Every structure is written in structure tokens, then in C-alpha cells.
Amino acid sequence: MKNLLTIVGISLLLLSCRSYEEKSIRQTVIVYISGENNLVTNISADLAEMAEGSKQLSDDEKLIAFVDGYGLPYIIEFNNGKRDTIMRYDQDFYASDPEMFYDIIRKIESQYPTTNNNYALVLWGHGDGWVVKDSVASSAKARGQRRAYGQDVGYDTKPSQGEKWMNITQMARVLERLPRFRYIMADCCCFITVENAYELRNVADFLIGSPAETPNLGAPYHLIMRGLFGKTETFYQDIIDNYFDYYANLFKTSPQIKSEFPYVVGHSLPLTVVDLRQNHMEDLAMATRNVLKEPDSYATDSIAYFIANDLPLSYDAKSIMKRNLSSDAFQGWEQALNAAIPYKKFSGKWMTIYRRLYNALSFDQFKFDEDNFGGIGMHIPSSAYKSNPSYNNGIKNFGWYQAVGWNRFE
């Protein structure tokens, strides 16, 4: 992590200085692109989609992207199909550094202030759900880092300290120092888990994304742009519907998909909106606490899961609770879940890199349909993970773990 003086120094390299104090900005959407990894080749296509989508924006709507790919990071403003680089940094840094993450977002917000603190954040990059485990980096310092979002392999960082990620608990702590976001959209894999949603409940009104893996192409920004700036209470439906339909159509029509990923033809990817307002996540945590059972007592066979490294790590919450609770207990718990999940789209299969899912064809073994789809992942910290205790230890970092009372079974 760089010290504060370094952060301030490199953040002052403005190529063009603007002040929107005299103009009214209704909403500023910030896209944080942590792309110094194998997604770097997808950055240009998504920037082009954002530029195309910006033609739909009005003068009081600002779309800004921080971009870290190969080369020095920079910040772009999109306006009526055009891109304007408003800031370049004179040295590289880890985009996954929580303090740099905070400083960049804070600077964009201060340069594009809205009349009512109407900001939104899009997280672009790699995600690994809630998972907290040692980095694969070689240096001792980097091995101490944890992972969940924003893989940065450090190719341009001198001296490089290897690969680094950002822990969701770190993300939550720095975002709590900023105005509450209207929404956070996770354009990355497996982000929608109860653990992540509970951790971020104080920093945004809505959390939008997938409990499962998302294709490398990411969100179709030119199609969801109006939703990103939507004015209605249910703006998120436009985002989810266009995102879902884009991949449903692509999976049906792309010859490459049909050849290389035939199992997704006729499917898309599961997408979910979590309402973080009005104590919905606290209520879900309490409802879960009231019905929680000994971790090793949960039946998990045939239950859909979204994250699977050596073992399944994030089960569909509704599926596993429905399987393991009495009808009455489940009905009460489901009411809390439904209050927290105002909108979702079901897909029984999705594009995956997890061998456990694909090679074993676990998709076909799941008892999974729209009625059993909760739209949010949940970890069961059982003794099944004793061969890799970092899972059971890592989950203890999350507020959800304490709130629901998993600690009483330790």
C-alpha cells in the first residue's frame, strides 16, 4: 500500500481541469476497471460500448471510467459517443490497493459532484465471491494479501510484488468513508453472496450482479446504459433484463459458443438485485440465525453451487435452506430472503471455468429450477473444508458469520 503522500502526488496529474460546480449533475456513474490481468484484451471493447452508450445520456448524467490495464492507469469521461482522458498517472500502482481504490473514487466524485449525492459504482474485473485465501504471488509480502475482487498481476508496477486482490471487507471499510452509492454493480464473477451483501449493506442501496461466473465479455454496456442511469424505483430491471437477454441470444446464435460451450445454448447467466436498504440484510441474517443448524448436518448433494475451487464454496441460499429446513421454518426464512431480493433472472447453466462444475457435469445433477433459485450464494462452513482450513478461517472475517451465529458451532 502506498503512503498518503504518494497517493496525493500521483493523483494530482490532471491533464485537463474541469469544475462542474456551476452545472447540475443528476447522477455520476463510476466504472472501476481493474484490468491488469488476462481480461486486458476485453477493455477496449467495453470502452467502445460505453462510448456508444454515452450517446443516450443527457448533459446532467456523467459516465466516468478509471482504467488500469497494461501501461499507466488513466481516467476517461464519456460524452455523446466521445472519450476524453481527463487524468493520467505517472506511475503504476495496484488497482486492488484499497486506499488507491478509495482515493480514485473520491477524486472522481469531487470532480463530478451531484446535487443529491447520486453516485453509482461498477466493479469491472475478476471476482471470486467472498473467498478469502492466500494469493498465488511469490513474494512474502504479496502472500499476505487476500483475494475476492480486482486481480492485479502487477506487470507494470516497479518493483512488482506479484499478484494482489482486494478483500471485500477491505472494500467495505473504505467505501464507508464515501457517500452512499445508489447501487454497486459487480461486472465480475460470483459477487452476489450473502456474505458480500451483508458486508456492503452500509455503502449502497442496491447490489447488482451474478452469484455465478460471468463471461469474459462482461456486461453489454451499450444496452444497459439507460438502466445504469435509470430514474425509476425499479431501474435495475432494465439492467438485468438487457444483460440477461444479451447472453441468452448470444449463446443461441454464436457458432463459437455452440462449438466450444454447447452446454450453455438455451441458457444465459443468473442475475440478481439485492436491496440493501431498510435493514433487509440484517433481517435476513436474523432469520438465518433463527433456523441455523450444525454446519455438518446440511445435506448438500444435488444443491446448486456457484463457486467451486477444490470444493463447492457458495451454494444457492434458497436451494440449500429449502432442502434442510422444515416447511414452516423455511417459509418464514424465505419471507426475509424475498424482501432482500426484489428482482432476479434464473439460468440453470452458465459459462464456467470450474472443472468441478463442467467436467463432472454437475449442472445436470442439480435439482435446480426457477422455483428453487434464490439468486444469492451462501457458504456453509463445515468440516468438509478441513483439508483447506483457509476457507473456514477466511469466512470468519465477514460480519455475516457473526451475525447469523456460525461462531456458536466452533
Side-chain angles (χ1 to χ4, degrees), residues 168-214:
I168 301 303
T169 55
Q170 295 173 320
M171 178 187 292
R173 299 298 84 77
V174 298
L175 291 182
E176 285 174 355
R177 293 151 55 188
L178 296 167
R180 186 180 179 96
F181 294 98
R182 187 185 188 200
Y183 64 84
I184 295 175
M185 180 180 126
D187 190 12
C188 51
C189 292
C190 304
F191 201 89
I192 305 300
T193 70
V194 292
E195 295 84 9
N196 286 358
Y198 189 85
E199 206 69 25
L200 296 170
R201 70 194 186 282
N202 295 320
V203 304
D205 288 346
F206 298 96
L207 187 61
I208 304 170
S210 179
E213 295 154 274
T214 59

Side-chain angles (χ1 to χ4, degrees), residues 33-307:
I33 298 179
S34 184
E36 195 169 330
N37 49 59
N38 66 345
L39 294 178
V40 69
T41 56
N42 299 102
I43 293 177
S44 60
D46 276 358
L47 293 180
E49 289 179 356
M50 293 175 204
E52 179 64 25
S54 71
K55 296 177 182 178
Q56 307 169 37
L57 303 183
S58 59
D59 290 340
D60 65 349
E61 297 170 331
K62 301 300 177 183
L63 177 65
I64 314 296
F66 164 79
V67 183
D68 182 26
Y70 293 159
L72 297 178
Y74 56 97
I75 297 176
I76 297 177
E77 177 185 352
F78 298 89
N79 184 27
N80 196 26
K82 298 180 180 179
R83 312 178 206 179
D84 185 7
T85 300
I86 63 168
M87 181 187 296
R88 288 190 184 276
Y89 293 86
D90 68 348
Q91 58 184 287
D92 193 37
F93 50 84
Y94 282 98
S96 53
D97 182 326
E99 284 301 323
M100 290 305 302
F101 177 71
Y102 164 78
D103 185 72
I104 291 161
I105 296 172
R106 181 193 59 78
K107 182 163 288 295
I108 294 173
E109 288 183 346
S110 65
Q111 192 171 353
Y112 297 89
T114 65
T115 55
N116 55 355
N117 279 339
N118 188 359
Y119 301 103
L121 176 64
V122 177
L123 301 172
W124 188 108
H126 277 303
D128 207 10
W130 66 268
V131 177
V132 178
K133 62 181 182 180
D134 288 342
S135 165
V136 299
S138 58
S139 74
K141 185 174 182 180
R143 280 199 300 272
Q145 299 293 319
R146 304 297 182 178
R147 66 183 292 178
Y149 164 72
Q151 179 195 35
D152 189 330
V153 297
Y155 284 161
D156 298 323
T157 308
K158 305 300 181 185
S160 175
Q161 296 174 357
E163 173 184 289
K164 293 186 180 182
W165 297 61
M166 190 189 313
N167 190 349
I168 301 303
T169 55
Q170 295 173 320
M171 178 187 292
R173 299 298 84 77
V174 298
L175 291 182
E176 285 174 355
R177 293 151 55 188
L178 296 167
R180 186 180 179 96
F181 294 98
R182 187 185 188 200
Y183 64 84
I184 295 175
M185 180 180 126
D187 190 12
C188 51
C189 292
C190 304
F191 201 89
I192 305 300
T193 70
V194 292
E195 295 84 9
N196 286 358
Y198 189 85
E199 206 69 25
L200 296 170
R201 70 194 186 282
N202 295 320
V203 304
D205 288 346
F206 298 96
L207 187 61
I208 304 170
S210 179
E213 295 154 274
T214 59
N216 279 1
L217 294 177
Y221 288 94
H222 56 308
L223 300 179
I224 67 171
M225 190 59 64
R226 282 314 320 158
L228 294 178
F229 288 86
K231 298 179 181 179
T232 68
E233 180 67 21
T234 57
F235 70 95
Y236 45 74
Q237 292 186 15
D238 188 55
I239 298 173
I240 294 292
D241 290 347
N242 282 288
Y243 197 154
F244 185 92
D245 291 346
Y246 173 79
Y247 278 105
N249 182 64
L250 180 67
F251 291 168
K252 287 179 182 177
T253 59
S254 168
Q256 181 179 359
I257 295 295
K258 291 179 179 180
S259 173
E260 298 181 18
F261 308 96
Y263 61 93
V264 299
V265 176
H267 299 274
S268 180
L269 73 158
L271 291 165
T272 303
V273 178
V274 186
D275 191 341
L276 304 177
R277 305 170 301 170
Q278 301 175 355
N279 295 323
H280 288 315
M281 285 308 301
E282 288 90 340
D283 292 344
L284 181 59
M286 181 57 66
T288 303
R289 186 183 186 93
N290 290 340
V291 298
L292 209 64
K293 301 165 58 176
E294 171 70 41
D296 285 336
S297 71
Y298 283 82
T300 60
D301 56 294
S302 302
I303 301 297
Y305 53 82
F306 304 115
I307 307 174

